[in-house]
Amino acid sequence: MVTYSGWDPDRRALEVSAYVPGVVESGGSCALSALRGSSRLSASAAAVPDASTTVCGQLLLPVTGRASGTWALTVTYSSPGSPAVSTSTNLEVT
């Protein structure tokens, strides 16, 4: 589940925070996919369990070239026991 998405103009990066509800496990990873037209970017990070969820934390995705437009963001959680995919979230960068 994506909890935050935004544009950091200083770092020229898409920022996304996410977690996996109802899953508490170590050893998983989170991958962020951003799609705008024919442009596709991705980043990944290790997931960390907390008391009641597994946290993807903040995923940063640097953008080179033109960043403006609508980005479709999806976070995929990969693990042997509980893989999950977030619903797509749109982020408008102006």
Side-chain angles (χ1 to χ4, degrees):
M1 169 179 277
V2 173
T3 58
Y4 171 79
S5 64
W7 170 248
D8 183 333
D10 295 331
R11 294 192 264 187
R12 292 197 45 80
L14 302 171
E15 293 180 301
V16 174
S17 296
Y19 74 97
V20 185
V23 175
V24 181
E25 63 184 10
S26 56
S29 63
C30 297
L32 168 62
S33 173
L35 186 61
R36 183 199 68 205
S38 62
S39 298
R40 182 183 181 97
L41 304 173
S42 60
S44 61
V48 179
D50 69 8
S52 60
T53 65
T54 298
V55 179
C56 294
Q58 184 183 51
L59 297 160
L60 287 175
L61 192 52
V63 178
T64 57
R66 186 178 70 89
S68 62
T70 302
W71 291 89
L73 309 172
T74 305
V75 176
T76 302
Y77 174 69
S78 299
S79 79
S82 304
V85 178
S86 72
T87 57
S88 183
T89 300
N90 286 335
L91 173 62
E92 182 69 32
V93 176
T94 56

PDB file of all heavy atoms in Angstrom, residues 33-77:
ATOM      1  N   SER A  33       7.985   0.861  -9.566  1.00  0.00           N
ATOM      2  CA  SER A  33       7.948   1.014 -11.017  1.00  0.00           C
ATOM      3  C   SER A  33       7.187   2.296 -11.325  1.00  0.00           C
ATOM      4  O   SER A  33       6.102   2.525 -10.781  1.00  0.00           O
ATOM      5  CB  SER A  33       7.246  -0.179 -11.658  1.00  0.00           C
ATOM      6  OG  SER A  33       7.074   0.029 -13.034  1.00  0.00           O
ATOM      7  N   ALA A  34       7.765   3.154 -12.168  1.00  0.00           N
ATOM      8  CA  ALA A  34       7.125   4.405 -12.569  1.00  0.00           C
ATOM      9  C   ALA A  34       7.016   4.424 -14.088  1.00  0.00           C
ATOM     10  O   ALA A  34       8.004   4.218 -14.788  1.00  0.00           O
ATOM     11  CB  ALA A  34       7.934   5.590 -12.070  1.00  0.00           C
ATOM     12  N   LEU A  35       5.824   4.683 -14.573  1.00  0.00           N
ATOM     13  CA  LEU A  35       5.565   4.648 -16.009  1.00  0.00           C
ATOM     14  C   LEU A  35       4.896   5.953 -16.430  1.00  0.00           C
ATOM     15  O   LEU A  35       3.922   6.393 -15.813  1.00  0.00           O
ATOM     16  CB  LEU A  35       4.653   3.459 -16.320  1.00  0.00           C
ATOM     17  CG  LEU A  35       4.346   3.137 -17.763  1.00  0.00           C
ATOM     18  CD1 LEU A  35       5.633   2.806 -18.528  1.00  0.00           C
ATOM     19  CD2 LEU A  35       3.390   1.968 -17.834  1.00  0.00           C
ATOM     20  N   ARG A  36       5.455   6.590 -17.461  1.00  0.00           N
ATOM     21  CA  ARG A  36       4.862   7.798 -18.051  1.00  0.00           C
ATOM     22  C   ARG A  36       5.066   7.699 -19.554  1.00  0.00           C
ATOM     23  O   ARG A  36       6.194   7.783 -20.051  1.00  0.00           O
ATOM     24  CB  ARG A  36       5.529   9.066 -17.529  1.00  0.00           C
ATOM     25  CG  ARG A  36       4.882  10.345 -18.067  1.00  0.00           C
ATOM     26  CD  ARG A  36       5.760  11.547 -17.941  1.00  0.00           C
ATOM     27  NE  ARG A  36       6.882  11.375 -18.860  1.00  0.00           N
ATOM     28  CZ  ARG A  36       8.059  11.943 -18.711  1.00  0.00           C
ATOM     29  NH1 ARG A  36       8.326  12.693 -17.688  1.00  0.00           N
ATOM     30  NH2 ARG A  36       9.017  11.733 -19.596  1.00  0.00           N
ATOM     31  N   GLY A  37       3.980   7.458 -20.282  1.00  0.00           N
ATOM     32  CA  GLY A  37       4.100   7.257 -21.721  1.00  0.00           C
ATOM     33  C   GLY A  37       4.992   6.063 -21.995  1.00  0.00           C
ATOM     34  O   GLY A  37       4.773   4.978 -21.480  1.00  0.00           O
ATOM     35  N   SER A  38       6.054   6.276 -22.782  1.00  0.00           N
ATOM     36  CA  SER A  38       6.979   5.183 -23.079  1.00  0.00           C
ATOM     37  C   SER A  38       8.165   5.134 -22.118  1.00  0.00           C
ATOM     38  O   SER A  38       9.035   4.283 -22.249  1.00  0.00           O
ATOM     39  CB  SER A  38       7.487   5.301 -24.522  1.00  0.00           C
ATOM     40  OG  SER A  38       8.189   6.520 -24.674  1.00  0.00           O
ATOM     41  N   SER A  39       8.195   6.062 -21.148  1.00  0.00           N
ATOM     42  CA  SER A  39       9.284   6.085 -20.163  1.00  0.00           C
ATOM     43  C   SER A  39       8.953   5.157 -19.002  1.00  0.00           C
ATOM     44  O   SER A  39       7.865   5.243 -18.422  1.00  0.00           O
ATOM     45  CB  SER A  39       9.498   7.496 -19.615  1.00  0.00           C
ATOM     46  OG  SER A  39       9.876   8.363 -20.632  1.00  0.00           O
ATOM     47  N   ARG A  40       9.894   4.275 -18.667  1.00  0.00           N
ATOM     48  CA  ARG A  40       9.708   3.366 -17.532  1.00  0.00           C
ATOM     49  C   ARG A  40      10.962   3.411 -16.678  1.00  0.00           C
ATOM     50  O   ARG A  40      12.075   3.219 -17.174  1.00  0.00           O
ATOM     51  CB  ARG A  40       9.470   1.942 -18.015  1.00  0.00           C
ATOM     52  CG  ARG A  40       9.219   0.979 -16.876  1.00  0.00           C
ATOM     53  CD  ARG A  40       9.052  -0.449 -17.409  1.00  0.00           C
ATOM     54  NE  ARG A  40       8.801  -1.348 -16.321  1.00  0.00           N
ATOM     55  CZ  ARG A  40       7.598  -1.750 -15.941  1.00  0.00           C
ATOM     56  NH1 ARG A  40       6.540  -1.325 -16.573  1.00  0.00           N
ATOM     57  NH2 ARG A  40       7.451  -2.577 -14.938  1.00  0.00           N
ATOM     58  N   LEU A  41      10.783   3.679 -15.377  1.00  0.00           N
ATOM     59  CA  LEU A  41      11.881   3.733 -14.419  1.00  0.00           C
ATOM     60  C   LEU A  41      11.594   2.770 -13.287  1.00  0.00           C
ATOM     61  O   LEU A  41      10.439   2.475 -12.988  1.00  0.00           O
ATOM     62  CB  LEU A  41      12.031   5.157 -13.868  1.00  0.00           C
ATOM     63  CG  LEU A  41      12.225   6.282 -14.892  1.00  0.00           C
ATOM     64  CD1 LEU A  41      12.176   7.628 -14.190  1.00  0.00           C
ATOM     65  CD2 LEU A  41      13.532   6.106 -15.626  1.00  0.00           C
ATOM     66  N   SER A  42      12.657   2.286 -12.626  1.00  0.00           N
ATOM     67  CA  SER A  42      12.443   1.385 -11.496  1.00  0.00           C
ATOM     68  C   SER A  42      13.553   1.543 -10.471  1.00  0.00           C
ATOM     69  O   SER A  42      14.665   1.968 -10.793  1.00  0.00           O
ATOM     70  CB  SER A  42      12.359  -0.069 -11.961  1.00  0.00           C
ATOM     71  OG  SER A  42      13.552  -0.437 -12.602  1.00  0.00           O
ATOM     72  N   ALA A  43      13.216   1.213  -9.240  1.00  0.00           N
ATOM     73  CA  ALA A  43      14.162   1.222  -8.121  1.00  0.00           C
ATOM     74  C   ALA A  43      13.713   0.156  -7.140  1.00  0.00           C
ATOM     75  O   ALA A  43      12.539  -0.235  -7.117  1.00  0.00           O
ATOM     76  CB  ALA A  43      14.181   2.587  -7.445  1.00  0.00           C
ATOM     77  N   SER A  44      14.631  -0.338  -6.325  1.00  0.00           N
ATOM     78  CA  SER A  44      14.259  -1.359  -5.344  1.00  0.00           C
ATOM     79  C   SER A  44      15.004  -1.136  -4.037  1.00  0.00           C
ATOM     80  O   SER A  44      16.012  -0.430  -3.994  1.00  0.00           O
ATOM     81  CB  SER A  44      14.548  -2.754  -5.875  1.00  0.00           C
ATOM     82  OG  SER A  44      15.922  -2.898  -6.143  1.00  0.00           O
ATOM     83  N   ALA A  45      14.470  -1.735  -2.982  1.00  0.00           N
ATOM     84  CA  ALA A  45      15.071  -1.635  -1.653  1.00  0.00           C
ATOM     85  C   ALA A  45      14.622  -2.831  -0.821  1.00  0.00           C
ATOM     86  O   ALA A  45      13.588  -3.445  -1.104  1.00  0.00           O
ATOM     87  CB  ALA A  45      14.647  -0.337  -0.966  1.00  0.00           C
ATOM     88  N   ALA A  46      15.403  -3.138   0.191  1.00  0.00           N
ATOM     89  CA  ALA A  46      15.030  -4.215   1.108  1.00  0.00           C
ATOM     90  C   ALA A  46      13.837  -3.775   1.958  1.00  0.00           C
ATOM     91  O   ALA A  46      13.735  -2.613   2.343  1.00  0.00           O
ATOM     92  CB  ALA A  46      16.201  -4.577   2.006  1.00  0.00           C
ATOM     93  N   ALA A  47      12.940  -4.698   2.229  1.00  0.00           N
ATOM     94  CA  ALA A  47      11.806  -4.436   3.111  1.00  0.00           C
ATOM     95  C   ALA A  47      12.199  -4.794   4.541  1.00  0.00           C
ATOM     96  O   ALA A  47      13.040  -5.673   4.760  1.00  0.00           O
ATOM     97  CB  ALA A  47      10.601  -5.258   2.668  1.00  0.00           C
ATOM     98  N   VAL A  48      11.564  -4.099   5.508  1.00  0.00           N
ATOM     99  CA  VAL A  48      11.908  -4.286   6.918  1.00  0.00           C
ATOM    100  C   VAL A  48      10.630  -4.573   7.710  1.00  0.00           C
ATOM    101  O   VAL A  48       9.663  -3.813   7.610  1.00  0.00           O
ATOM    102  CB  VAL A  48      12.593  -3.019   7.474  1.00  0.00           C
ATOM    103  CG1 VAL A  48      12.922  -3.186   8.943  1.00  0.00           C
ATOM    104  CG2 VAL A  48      13.842  -2.690   6.667  1.00  0.00           C
ATOM    105  N   PRO A  49      10.599  -5.648   8.505  1.00  0.00           N
ATOM    106  CA  PRO A  49       9.410  -5.912   9.306  1.00  0.00           C
ATOM    107  C   PRO A  49       9.334  -4.965  10.494  1.00  0.00           C
ATOM    108  O   PRO A  49      10.356  -4.561  11.045  1.00  0.00           O
ATOM    109  CB  PRO A  49       9.612  -7.355   9.767  1.00  0.00           C
ATOM    110  CG  PRO A  49      11.092  -7.546   9.777  1.00  0.00           C
ATOM    111  CD  PRO A  49      11.624  -6.685   8.674  1.00  0.00           C
ATOM    112  N   ASP A  50       8.103  -4.579  10.874  1.00  0.00           N
ATOM    113  CA  ASP A  50       7.899  -3.870  12.131  1.00  0.00           C
ATOM    114  C   ASP A  50       6.861  -4.656  12.933  1.00  0.00           C
ATOM    115  O   ASP A  50       6.646  -5.830  12.663  1.00  0.00           O
ATOM    116  CB  ASP A  50       7.545  -2.396  11.909  1.00  0.00           C
ATOM    117  CG  ASP A  50       6.175  -2.162  11.308  1.00  0.00           C
ATOM    118  OD1 ASP A  50       5.383  -3.110  11.184  1.00  0.00           O
ATOM    119  OD2 ASP A  50       5.887  -1.005  10.949  1.00  0.00           O
ATOM    120  N   ALA A  51       6.199  -4.026  13.873  1.00  0.00           N
ATOM    121  CA  ALA A  51       5.304  -4.763  14.774  1.00  0.00           C
ATOM    122  C   ALA A  51       4.110  -5.408  14.074  1.00  0.00           C
ATOM    123  O   ALA A  51       3.699  -6.508  14.435  1.00  0.00           O
ATOM    124  CB  ALA A  51       4.812  -3.831  15.876  1.00  0.00           C
ATOM    125  N   SER A  52       3.546  -4.745  13.049  1.00  0.00           N
ATOM    126  CA  SER A  52       2.331  -5.287  12.440  1.00  0.00           C
ATOM    127  C   SER A  52       2.330  -5.291  10.911  1.00  0.00           C
ATOM    128  O   SER A  52       1.349  -5.734  10.310  1.00  0.00           O
ATOM    129  CB  SER A  52       1.113  -4.500  12.931  1.00  0.00           C
ATOM    130  OG  SER A  52       1.250  -3.133  12.564  1.00  0.00           O
ATOM    131  N   THR A  53       3.389  -4.795  10.285  1.00  0.00           N
ATOM    132  CA  THR A  53       3.458  -4.750   8.829  1.00  0.00           C
ATOM    133  C   THR A  53       4.895  -5.003   8.380  1.00  0.00           C
ATOM    134  O   THR A  53       5.795  -5.162   9.196  1.00  0.00           O
ATOM    135  CB  THR A  53       3.028  -3.372   8.273  1.00  0.00           C
ATOM    136  OG1 THR A  53       3.967  -2.385   8.699  1.00  0.00           O
ATOM    137  CG2 THR A  53       1.642  -2.989   8.719  1.00  0.00           C
ATOM    138  N   THR A  54       5.092  -5.001   7.089  1.00  0.00           N
ATOM    139  CA  THR A  54       6.432  -4.991   6.513  1.00  0.00           C
ATOM    140  C   THR A  54       6.557  -3.677   5.749  1.00  0.00           C
ATOM    141  O   THR A  54       5.710  -3.347   4.924  1.00  0.00           O
ATOM    142  CB  THR A  54       6.647  -6.197   5.588  1.00  0.00           C
ATOM    143  OG1 THR A  54       6.510  -7.391   6.365  1.00  0.00           O
ATOM    144  CG2 THR A  54       8.021  -6.175   4.961  1.00  0.00           C
ATOM    145  N   VAL A  55       7.612  -2.930   6.056  1.00  0.00           N
ATOM    146  CA  VAL A  55       7.754  -1.564   5.559  1.00  0.00           C
ATOM    147  C   VAL A  55       8.739  -1.508   4.393  1.00  0.00           C
ATOM    148  O   VAL A  55       9.851  -2.032   4.485  1.00  0.00           O
ATOM    149  CB  VAL A  55       8.229  -0.637   6.706  1.00  0.00           C
ATOM    150  CG1 VAL A  55       8.405   0.785   6.206  1.00  0.00           C
ATOM    151  CG2 VAL A  55       7.251  -0.677   7.864  1.00  0.00           C
ATOM    152  N   CYS A  56       8.297  -0.859   3.338  1.00  0.00           N
ATOM    153  CA  CYS A  56       9.191  -0.624   2.200  1.00  0.00           C
ATOM    154  C   CYS A  56      10.015   0.642   2.419  1.00  0.00           C
ATOM    155  O   CYS A  56      11.052   0.816   1.796  1.00  0.00           O
ATOM    156  CB  CYS A  56       8.384  -0.473   0.908  1.00  0.00           C
ATOM    157  SG  CYS A  56       7.546  -2.001   0.424  1.00  0.00           S
ATOM    158  N   GLY A  57       9.558   1.514   3.279  1.00  0.00           N
ATOM    159  CA  GLY A  57      10.286   2.748   3.544  1.00  0.00           C
ATOM    160  C   GLY A  57      10.170   3.707   2.389  1.00  0.00           C
ATOM    161  O   GLY A  57       9.249   3.646   1.586  1.00  0.00           O
ATOM    162  N   GLN A  58      11.153   4.607   2.271  1.00  0.00           N
ATOM    163  CA  GLN A  58      11.143   5.604   1.207  1.00  0.00           C
ATOM    164  C   GLN A  58      11.932   5.085   0.011  1.00  0.00           C
ATOM    165  O   GLN A  58      13.099   4.737   0.126  1.00  0.00           O
ATOM    166  CB  GLN A  58      11.746   6.910   1.701  1.00  0.00           C
ATOM    167  CG  GLN A  58      11.689   8.019   0.678  1.00  0.00           C
ATOM    168  CD  GLN A  58      12.363   9.273   1.157  1.00  0.00           C
ATOM    169  OE1 GLN A  58      13.497   9.237   1.605  1.00  0.00           O
ATOM    170  NE2 GLN A  58      11.656  10.379   1.069  1.00  0.00           N
ATOM    171  N   LEU A  59      11.272   5.037  -1.123  1.00  0.00           N
ATOM    172  CA  LEU A  59      11.912   4.638  -2.371  1.00  0.00           C
ATOM    173  C   LEU A  59      12.114   5.891  -3.212  1.00  0.00           C
ATOM    174  O   LEU A  59      11.164   6.650  -3.446  1.00  0.00           O
ATOM    175  CB  LEU A  59      11.033   3.640  -3.120  1.00  0.00           C
ATOM    176  CG  LEU A  59      10.783   2.316  -2.397  1.00  0.00           C
ATOM    177  CD1 LEU A  59       9.553   1.625  -2.963  1.00  0.00           C
ATOM    178  CD2 LEU A  59      11.993   1.424  -2.521  1.00  0.00           C
ATOM    179  N   LEU A  60      13.349   6.151  -3.619  1.00  0.00           N
ATOM    180  CA  LEU A  60      13.678   7.310  -4.443  1.00  0.00           C
ATOM    181  C   LEU A  60      13.984   6.855  -5.859  1.00  0.00           C
ATOM    182  O   LEU A  60      14.718   5.889  -6.052  1.00  0.00           O
ATOM    183  CB  LEU A  60      14.892   8.046  -3.890  1.00  0.00           C
ATOM    184  CG  LEU A  60      14.688   8.851  -2.619  1.00  0.00           C
ATOM    185  CD1 LEU A  60      16.013   9.409  -2.140  1.00  0.00           C
ATOM    186  CD2 LEU A  60      13.697   9.968  -2.842  1.00  0.00           C
ATOM    187  N   LEU A  61      13.458   7.581  -6.811  1.00  0.00           N
ATOM    188  CA  LEU A  61      13.645   7.234  -8.209  1.00  0.00           C
ATOM    189  C   LEU A  61      14.088   8.485  -8.962  1.00  0.00           C
ATOM    190  O   LEU A  61      13.268   9.324  -9.329  1.00  0.00           O
ATOM    191  CB  LEU A  61      12.326   6.702  -8.774  1.00  0.00           C
ATOM    192  CG  LEU A  61      12.335   6.036 -10.108  1.00  0.00           C
ATOM    193  CD1 LEU A  61      13.392   4.941 -10.183  1.00  0.00           C
ATOM    194  CD2 LEU A  61      10.979   5.423 -10.387  1.00  0.00           C
ATOM    195  N   PRO A  62      15.407   8.650  -9.177  1.00  0.00           N
ATOM    196  CA  PRO A  62      15.897   9.826  -9.905  1.00  0.00           C
ATOM    197  C   PRO A  62      15.364   9.858 -11.339  1.00  0.00           C
ATOM    198  O   PRO A  62      15.254   8.819 -11.988  1.00  0.00           O
ATOM    199  CB  PRO A  62      17.416   9.652  -9.902  1.00  0.00           C
ATOM    200  CG  PRO A  62      17.692   8.696  -8.791  1.00  0.00           C
ATOM    201  CD  PRO A  62      16.502   7.800  -8.713  1.00  0.00           C
ATOM    202  N   VAL A  63      15.033  11.054 -11.793  1.00  0.00           N
ATOM    203  CA  VAL A  63      14.510  11.238 -13.141  1.00  0.00           C
ATOM    204  C   VAL A  63      15.478  12.126 -13.918  1.00  0.00           C
ATOM    205  O   VAL A  63      15.787  13.227 -13.486  1.00  0.00           O
ATOM    206  CB  VAL A  63      13.111  11.891 -13.109  1.00  0.00           C
ATOM    207  CG1 VAL A  63      12.604  12.130 -14.527  1.00  0.00           C
ATOM    208  CG2 VAL A  63      12.136  11.038 -12.321  1.00  0.00           C
ATOM    209  N   THR A  64      15.974  11.624 -15.030  1.00  0.00           N
ATOM    210  CA  THR A  64      16.802  12.441 -15.913  1.00  0.00           C
ATOM    211  C   THR A  64      15.933  12.933 -17.055  1.00  0.00           C
ATOM    212  O   THR A  64      14.981  12.254 -17.456  1.00  0.00           O
ATOM    213  CB  THR A  64      18.002  11.642 -16.468  1.00  0.00           C
ATOM    214  OG1 THR A  64      17.512  10.494 -17.147  1.00  0.00           O
ATOM    215  CG2 THR A  64      18.930  11.205 -15.355  1.00  0.00           C
ATOM    216  N   GLY A  65      16.234  14.103 -17.566  1.00  0.00           N
ATOM    217  CA  GLY A  65      15.410  14.649 -18.635  1.00  0.00           C
ATOM    218  C   GLY A  65      14.130  15.249 -18.096  1.00  0.00           C
ATOM    219  O   GLY A  65      14.038  15.628 -16.930  1.00  0.00           O
ATOM    220  N   ARG A  66      13.124  15.302 -18.937  1.00  0.00           N
ATOM    221  CA  ARG A  66      11.841  15.919 -18.571  1.00  0.00           C
ATOM    222  C   ARG A  66      11.085  15.046 -17.574  1.00  0.00           C
ATOM    223  O   ARG A  66      10.860  13.873 -17.818  1.00  0.00           O
ATOM    224  CB  ARG A  66      10.996  16.111 -19.828  1.00  0.00           C
ATOM    225  CG  ARG A  66       9.710  16.872 -19.597  1.00  0.00           C
ATOM    226  CD  ARG A  66       8.950  17.069 -20.900  1.00  0.00           C
ATOM    227  NE  ARG A  66       8.407  15.821 -21.409  1.00  0.00           N
ATOM    228  CZ  ARG A  66       7.197  15.342 -21.076  1.00  0.00           C
ATOM    229  NH1 ARG A  66       6.440  15.990 -20.214  1.00  0.00           N
ATOM    230  NH2 ARG A  66       6.773  14.215 -21.602  1.00  0.00           N
ATOM    231  N   ALA A  67      10.686  15.657 -16.465  1.00  0.00           N
ATOM    232  CA  ALA A  67       9.972  14.908 -15.427  1.00  0.00           C
ATOM    233  C   ALA A  67       8.480  15.208 -15.408  1.00  0.00           C
ATOM    234  O   ALA A  67       7.712  14.453 -14.827  1.00  0.00           O
ATOM    235  CB  ALA A  67      10.566  15.212 -14.054  1.00  0.00           C
ATOM    236  N   SER A  68       8.067  16.325 -16.035  1.00  0.00           N
ATOM    237  CA  SER A  68       6.672  16.734 -15.938  1.00  0.00           C
ATOM    238  C   SER A  68       5.748  15.739 -16.640  1.00  0.00           C
ATOM    239  O   SER A  68       6.125  15.072 -17.601  1.00  0.00           O
ATOM    240  CB  SER A  68       6.484  18.134 -16.520  1.00  0.00           C
ATOM    241  OG  SER A  68       6.821  18.146 -17.882  1.00  0.00           O
ATOM    242  N   GLY A  69       4.547  15.650 -16.093  1.00  0.00           N
ATOM    243  CA  GLY A  69       3.543  14.744 -16.629  1.00  0.00           C
ATOM    244  C   GLY A  69       2.976  13.865 -15.528  1.00  0.00           C
ATOM    245  O   GLY A  69       3.279  14.052 -14.348  1.00  0.00           O
ATOM    246  N   THR A  70       2.157  12.917 -15.920  1.00  0.00           N
ATOM    247  CA  THR A  70       1.541  12.001 -14.962  1.00  0.00           C
ATOM    248  C   THR A  70       2.298  10.685 -14.953  1.00  0.00           C
ATOM    249  O   THR A  70       2.424  10.030 -15.982  1.00  0.00           O
ATOM    250  CB  THR A  70       0.064  11.752 -15.314  1.00  0.00           C
ATOM    251  OG1 THR A  70      -0.627  13.006 -15.328  1.00  0.00           O
ATOM    252  CG2 THR A  70      -0.592  10.822 -14.296  1.00  0.00           C
ATOM    253  N   TRP A  71       2.796  10.324 -13.784  1.00  0.00           N
ATOM    254  CA  TRP A  71       3.517   9.057 -13.593  1.00  0.00           C
ATOM    255  C   TRP A  71       2.584   8.066 -12.916  1.00  0.00           C
ATOM    256  O   TRP A  71       1.935   8.388 -11.918  1.00  0.00           O
ATOM    257  CB  TRP A  71       4.747   9.287 -12.705  1.00  0.00           C
ATOM    258  CG  TRP A  71       5.823  10.090 -13.359  1.00  0.00           C
ATOM    259  CD1 TRP A  71       5.954  11.451 -13.343  1.00  0.00           C
ATOM    260  CD2 TRP A  71       6.915   9.581 -14.115  1.00  0.00           C
ATOM    261  NE1 TRP A  71       7.067  11.821 -14.054  1.00  0.00           N
ATOM    262  CE2 TRP A  71       7.678  10.692 -14.535  1.00  0.00           C
ATOM    263  CE3 TRP A  71       7.332   8.311 -14.490  1.00  0.00           C
ATOM    264  CZ2 TRP A  71       8.826  10.557 -15.302  1.00  0.00           C
ATOM    265  CZ3 TRP A  71       8.481   8.169 -15.252  1.00  0.00           C
ATOM    266  CH2 TRP A  71       9.212   9.290 -15.652  1.00  0.00           C
ATOM    267  N   ALA A  72       2.509   6.859 -13.433  1.00  0.00           N
ATOM    268  CA  ALA A  72       1.770   5.759 -12.799  1.00  0.00           C
ATOM    269  C   ALA A  72       2.770   4.973 -11.955  1.00  0.00           C
ATOM    270  O   ALA A  72       3.749   4.437 -12.476  1.00  0.00           O
ATOM    271  CB  ALA A  72       1.130   4.862 -13.842  1.00  0.00           C
ATOM    272  N   LEU A  73       2.560   4.952 -10.655  1.00  0.00           N
ATOM    273  CA  LEU A  73       3.483   4.335  -9.706  1.00  0.00           C
ATOM    274  C   LEU A  73       2.904   3.034  -9.159  1.00  0.00           C
ATOM    275  O   LEU A  73       1.747   2.996  -8.739  1.00  0.00           O
ATOM    276  CB  LEU A  73       3.756   5.289  -8.544  1.00  0.00           C
ATOM    277  CG  LEU A  73       4.187   6.708  -8.916  1.00  0.00           C
ATOM    278  CD1 LEU A  73       4.232   7.583  -7.668  1.00  0.00           C
ATOM    279  CD2 LEU A  73       5.531   6.676  -9.612  1.00  0.00           C
ATOM    280  N   THR A  74       3.708   1.984  -9.147  1.00  0.00           N
ATOM    281  CA  THR A  74       3.301   0.704  -8.577  1.00  0.00           C
ATOM    282  C   THR A  74       4.445   0.160  -7.739  1.00  0.00           C
ATOM    283  O   THR A  74       5.603   0.193  -8.163  1.00  0.00           O
ATOM    284  CB  THR A  74       2.967  -0.313  -9.687  1.00  0.00           C
ATOM    285  OG1 THR A  74       1.983   0.246 -10.554  1.00  0.00           O
ATOM    286  CG2 THR A  74       2.438  -1.607  -9.109  1.00  0.00           C
ATOM    287  N   VAL A  75       4.124  -0.326  -6.558  1.00  0.00           N
ATOM    288  CA  VAL A  75       5.122  -0.965  -5.696  1.00  0.00           C
ATOM    289  C   VAL A  75       4.822  -2.456  -5.643  1.00  0.00           C
ATOM    290  O   VAL A  75       3.686  -2.863  -5.387  1.00  0.00           O
ATOM    291  CB  VAL A  75       5.113  -0.362  -4.274  1.00  0.00           C
ATOM    292  CG1 VAL A  75       6.089  -1.100  -3.371  1.00  0.00           C
ATOM    293  CG2 VAL A  75       5.459   1.124  -4.327  1.00  0.00           C
ATOM    294  N   THR A  76       5.842  -3.261  -5.903  1.00  0.00           N
ATOM    295  CA  THR A  76       5.726  -4.710  -5.849  1.00  0.00           C
ATOM    296  C   THR A  76       6.571  -5.227  -4.695  1.00  0.00           C
ATOM    297  O   THR A  76       7.751  -4.882  -4.585  1.00  0.00           O
ATOM    298  CB  THR A  76       6.212  -5.347  -7.165  1.00  0.00           C
ATOM    299  OG1 THR A  76       5.441  -4.818  -8.241  1.00  0.00           O
ATOM    300  CG2 THR A  76       6.067  -6.860  -7.130  1.00  0.00           C
ATOM    301  N   TYR A  77       5.956  -6.037  -3.839  1.00  0.00           N
ATOM    302  CA  TYR A  77       6.676  -6.669  -2.736  1.00  0.00           C
ATOM    303  C   TYR A  77       6.942  -8.117  -3.123  1.00  0.00           C
ATOM    304  O   TYR A  77       6.027  -8.850  -3.487  1.00  0.00           O
ATOM    305  CB  TYR A  77       5.850  -6.601  -1.448  1.00  0.00           C
ATOM    306  CG  TYR A  77       6.473  -7.361  -0.305  1.00  0.00           C
ATOM    307  CD1 TYR A  77       7.645  -6.912   0.294  1.00  0.00           C
ATOM    308  CD2 TYR A  77       5.904  -8.529   0.158  1.00  0.00           C
ATOM    309  CE1 TYR A  77       8.228  -7.613   1.332  1.00  0.00           C
ATOM    310  CE2 TYR A  77       6.474  -9.238   1.200  1.00  0.00           C
ATOM    311  CZ  TYR A  77       7.637  -8.776   1.776  1.00  0.00           C
ATOM    312  OH  TYR A  77       8.212  -9.481   2.816  1.00  0.00           O
TER     313      TYR A  77
END
